[in-house]
Amino acid sequence: MMKPLLSFEHVSCYFPTSFGELQAVRDVSLDLYEGEIFGLIGETGSGKSVLGLTALQLLPENARVTGEVRFESKSLLQLSEKEMRHVRGKEIALIPQNPASSLNPVLKIRTQLREAVRHVKGLKDKEGYLVSWLQAVSFPYPFKLLHSYPFQLSGGMKQRILTIMGAAGQPKLLIADEPTKGLDALARHDVVEALRNICRQTGATLLVITHDLHVAQTLCNRIGVMYAGRLVERNDADSLFATPRHPYTEALLLARPTAGMNPMAGSSPNLLQVPSGCTFHPRCPYASEKCIEELPPWTEYEREKYVRCFLYASCT
Ligand code: SF4
């Protein structure tokens, strides 16, 4: 049996607000294996980015996290900030979601990339190393690019630079938070190809957090679907898109432009007042009395295929 590289074990995340404590992530357990590309999908506010940031301990100081996050033999939530600084960038790297604010506007790309690889041991030719990375993600004029400033690059180019900044430090795990947000179709394609090439060449594991279903479908091996802080379905990407089981997944797929843009009923719940039972019940066309009263169990309806819905609760 393969050993997971990263495990979330019953992870919950809470944030204090003036209206009470908001629970952004609810009892999520999930394993990521070496070399795979795992996608977390769901609407804004479903908790997918919060879960990703938990692994890096990058949540605001007032956040409260319970459960366990294991990376190899380390229990990440038990590490001090000093110990986490050794993990971030070297073992787990974040590719942030906003290239405009994540790159320093007054520093050349070369300076920023050199900083990202400063801890890589035995690198004699840093410039050559960076050029090889730029070529790996299909930049045609890598030397010219190294001497450019961020304002001279398009949104898609900046996102690919951020991808290199994460990957060139040779981490075992990359977390890409909305890597294609705000990009046009061509730039999205370039970023997806860059991520795919990087994983292929380095063997790194990739956790992609995205609301872009096309990106999830074309890039990921396995996918987890989150709704109102909970994982509601997990499957391999092909099966999930061919036969979605959870009614929320089904509704997400039906809302795609290629499926006729059928709008989903209702809206995401207020996380300070989530519905009882199955949190999706106010929007679900199959809801019954039981769905309003009880939380459906996490059910393995076929080998390695999981769903949290009473429609499948007896399929074990
Ligand atoms: Fe719908 Fe009930 Fe399944 Fe929830 S448990 S998704 S309300 S059928």
Side-chain angles (χ1 to χ4, degrees):
M1 175 128 181
M2 259 201 302
K3 231 177 137 198
L5 180 69
L6 179 76
S7 294
F8 296 97
E9 296 171 13
H10 300 289
V11 171
S12 294
C13 303
Y14 306 81
F15 296 93
T17 74
S18 48
F19 302 103
E21 201 170 49
L22 180 151
Q23 190 173 358
V25 172
R26 295 171 178 261
D27 194 20
V28 170
S29 295
L30 181 65
D31 290 332
L32 264 67
Y33 296 98
E34 225 165 84
E36 76 166 331
I37 302 181
F38 191 96
L40 270 181
I41 62 172
E43 292 164 297
T44 303
S46 60
K48 53 194 191 309
S49 291
V50 174
L51 185 67
L53 293 179
T54 305
L56 286 157
Q57 282 201 39
L58 285 176
L59 293 175
E61 258 179 31
N62 62 0
R64 185 167 69 86
V65 181
T66 60
E68 181 79 88
V69 184
R70 288 188 194 283
F71 177 72
E72 297 184 315
S73 58
K74 295 184 191 74
S75 182
L76 294 180
L77 300 181
Q78 308 305 322
L79 299 187
S80 64
E81 177 51 31
K82 191 176 166 201
E83 289 167 323
M84 271 313 291
R85 278 202 291 271
H86 288 282
V87 172
R88 288 188 208 115
K90 293 175 203 160
E91 298 189 71
I92 308 177
L94 176 71
I95 301 170
Q97 65 170 265
N98 191 344
S101 61
S102 301
L103 289 169
N104 188 328
V106 298
L107 294 180
K108 283 184 177 174
I109 296 301
R110 176 177 180 268
T111 310
Q112 301 191 55
L113 285 176
R114 285 179 76 95
E115 173 63 17
V117 299
R118 74 188 184 290
H119 63 265
V120 179
K121 293 199 177 88
L123 253 192
K124 291 200 179 94
D125 178 11
K126 269 193 187 166
E127 199 90 347
Y129 180 71
L130 294 177
V131 165
S132 68
W133 274 101
L134 292 168
Q135 285 167 333
V137 299
S138 308
F139 278 117
Y141 306 107
F143 289 102
K144 188 176 169 200
L145 194 100
L146 283 176
H147 294 279
S148 306
Y149 288 94
F151 75 86
Q152 294 171 298
L153 311 182
S154 68
M157 291 166 88
K158 281 187 249 194
Q159 187 62 56
R160 279 188 284 157
I161 293 294
L162 283 183
T163 304
I164 296 176
M165 284 172 79
Q170 303 178 354
K172 292 176 184 161
L173 173 67
L174 276 163
I175 299 178
D177 190 7
E178 299 287 4
T180 56
K181 193 173 180 182
L183 301 181
D184 61 33
L186 197 60
R188 254 171 40 194
H189 173 265
D190 288 345
V191 170
V192 166
E193 284 307 309
L195 287 166
R196 202 198 313 275
N197 285 344
I198 281 169
C199 290
R200 213 177 272 148
Q201 289 180 19
T202 64
T205 301
L206 174 63
L207 172 61
V208 188
I209 296 159
T210 182
H211 66 277
D212 188 326
L213 300 183
H214 180 70
V215 167
Q217 185 173 16
T218 50
L219 183 60
C220 300
N221 309 117
R222 290 194 304 148
I223 290 179
V225 184
M226 288 189 72
Y227 183 75
R230 274 193 208 286
L231 205 54
V232 296
E233 182 162 3
R234 205 203 74 201
N235 205 340
D236 64 89
D238 290 344
S239 303
L240 186 122
F241 279 90
T243 48
R245 299 299 172 123
H246 197 280
Y248 174 60
T249 314
E250 185 181 51
L252 271 183
L253 300 196
L254 286 172
R256 288 177 299 172
T258 48
M261 289 183 88
N262 303 290
M264 197 183 305
S267 53
S268 302
N270 175 352
L271 293 178
L272 287 164
Q273 287 176 321
V274 291
S276 60
C278 171
T279 43
F280 189 60
H281 81 252
R283 307 171 77 179
C284 180
Y286 314 106
S288 65
E289 279 301 313
K290 190 176 183 181
C291 306
I292 299 168
E293 287 160 12
E294 291 176 37
L295 178 68
W298 185 236
T299 305
E300 187 176 27
Y301 61 92
E302 277 178 33
R303 193 170 148 68
E304 284 302 305
K305 299 173 187 291
Y306 290 84
V307 68
R308 189 183 286 285
C309 173
F310 283 122
L311 298 176
Y312 303 92
S314 57
C315 303
T316 47

